[in-house]
DNA sequence: CGGCAAATTGAACAGAGTCAAAACCAGTGG
DNA sequence: CCACTGGTTTTGACTCTGTTCAATTTGCCG
């Protein structure tokens, strides 16, 4: 059930049997959600964190004029709001992008982990810090990359992150978002995203169609994006 | 020396005498740096984290074409790279924007804190999560706000964050950056920042001049920025 | 087959970038 | 005290990337 989460943690650090058991027993409940449902509302008091088991989830902020910025996409194996454990309530909302299965980890159980397992606490802390790394890379994309590179960069990021949890291979991955949702990640309009996708397709790099990203030339995609996966910290145990 | 840091922590949680002493004894060394000096290089192995005592520091990422995106500004009292404790090396660099005095906190001492003081560990964890909140708000700015609102928003954020550590009053604050550096925060060119600053000045909201932000109409500034300080979590203890 | 959301396309427009020149300003040295 | 220097700020003219608005097409699903 939480295998994806564990393998992601173990990519970066050792998790012994006792710690694994501690993580497992953190989970109180498994819940299914339909697509496009806000599961955590900005500002509401939190009593548990949500671990994504299946589906895609995002963090987003709304603006008063109806615009929305998605600030992070979560893939299976991610804690979507582990940071909520220390923050107590969130500055943003969390919604499902696709139908999802999620596990709930009550904060009192996470609290016990922080009291009893310092190493595991650091692992959890690391995991929220890794989210921040991704936030920073998105800031770079939003601030400095133009639409084509920015879009290519996002597809590269997801390719790598999904591969870690066995949900992508060399040909691509399932990613059933609308172009409007993609635009909300990229700080663009859906019209422009559509044009960028056509360009990427015409250049033979990717196809975004039928809820799937088909990567036809990853090397070229990485090249236009100037994608450097260092910010995803995939090699931490080797160092 | 670390009074600003402590008062910032205490705004959000209780820190008892023993914990305060633990924080104090974390610091091994105090160092001065000139302006515009990179003090942590992307990728290098880290052995300590840096607490800002005086001056402004930023996190930034360079792109291959020479562009730069500043992803965060640190003010006195901030740990600039506490996240480096769990990450071991950073995905970005850290540089001084002004002459700075910083305190070094060796990672082995922070490690001891995580072994012995679970509550203080959560406080530190919170503090890196708060940085992530600011990253998210910057994502919203970069992705969805236009230049004028985005710039106004940054000045609002700094007004609030500096007020916490007693470095801003109703009239404004010292903020000796160049317009180019401001542009690197805002995802704009320095030419356009110059025009935006003129507009903000002409509208009677702020003056950015002589290394100082003089706020002439904070209410109006907040209004154009649609600034909501909730993401800075200033009221956590009251809840 | 019909209905509806999503994708696609075109044309006009605007916000921000680019390029280049001029003005300003603080520090330095004669 | 003043001229020189180099970085920063300011301004103008022009360009371009991405937006806006509106219409059309596509594709899915009951």
């Amino acid at each position: 059930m939480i295998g994806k989460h564990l393998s992601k943690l173990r990519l970066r650090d050792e998790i012994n049997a006792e710690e694994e058991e501690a993580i497992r027993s953190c989970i109180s409940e498994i819940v299914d959600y339909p697509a496009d449902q806000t599961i955590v509302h900005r500002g509401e008091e939190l009593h548990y964190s949500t671990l994504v088991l299946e589906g895609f989830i995002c963090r987003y902020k709304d603006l008063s004029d109806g615009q929305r910025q998605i600030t992070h996409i979560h893939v299976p194996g991610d804690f979507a709001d582990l940071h909520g454990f220390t923050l107590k309530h969130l500055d943003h909302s969390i919604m499902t992008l696709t139908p999802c299965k999620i596990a709930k980890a009550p904060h009192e159980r996470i609290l016990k982990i922080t009291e009893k397992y310092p190493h595991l606490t650091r692992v959890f802390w690391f995991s929220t810090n890794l989210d921040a790394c991704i936030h920073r890379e998105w800031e770079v994309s939003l601030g400095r990359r133009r639409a084509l590179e920015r879009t290519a960069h996002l597809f590269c990021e997801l390719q790598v992150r999904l591969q870690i949890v066995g949900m992508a291979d060399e040909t691509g991955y399932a990613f059933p978002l609308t172009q409007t949702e993609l635009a909300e990640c990229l700080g663009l309009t859906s019209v422009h995203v559509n044009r960028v996708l056509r360009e990427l397709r015409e250049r033979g790099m990717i196809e975004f169609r039928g809820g799937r990203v088909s990567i036809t030339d990853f090397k070229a995609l990485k090249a236009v994006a100037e994608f450097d996966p260092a910010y995803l910290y995939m090699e931490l145990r080797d160092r």
Side-chain angles (χ1 to χ4, degrees), chain A residues 6-109:
Chain A
L6 286 169
S7 60
K8 186 143 39 171
L9 295 183
R10 288 196 164 116
L11 185 70
R12 281 103 178 188
D13 206 340
E14 314 232 346
I15 309 290
N16 67 32
E18 189 185 351
E19 290 169 334
E20 174 172 340
E21 185 45 39
I23 298 174
R24 286 189 190 284
S25 59
C26 247
I27 286 155
S28 66
E29 202 183 342
I30 310 283
V31 192
D32 284 292
Y33 286 107
D36 301 315
Q37 183 159 331
T38 294
I39 61 177
V40 179
H41 293 265
R42 168 181 197 285
E44 81 186 8
E45 206 179 333
L46 294 178
H47 301 290
Y48 58 86
S49 288
T50 56
L51 178 57
V52 184
L53 301 176
E54 293 171 19
F56 290 94
I57 279 181
C58 72
R59 309 180 182 177
Y60 70 90
K61 286 188 150 187
D62 281 316
L63 277 86
S64 66
D65 60 355
Q67 289 191 98
R68 160 181 303 185
Q69 178 66 40
I70 293 177
T71 61
H72 202 109
I73 290 181
H74 284 293
V75 307
D78 285 357
F79 256 117
D81 57 354
L82 184 53
H83 56 309
F85 167 64
T86 68
L87 293 174
K88 311 276 197 290
H89 61 101
L90 295 186
D91 56 313
H92 60 274
S93 302
I94 295 191
M95 68 176 277
T96 58
L97 291 165
T98 66
C100 285
K101 188 186 287 294
I102 67 113
K104 295 188 175 183
H107 283 174
E108 72 258 25
R109 298 193 193 182

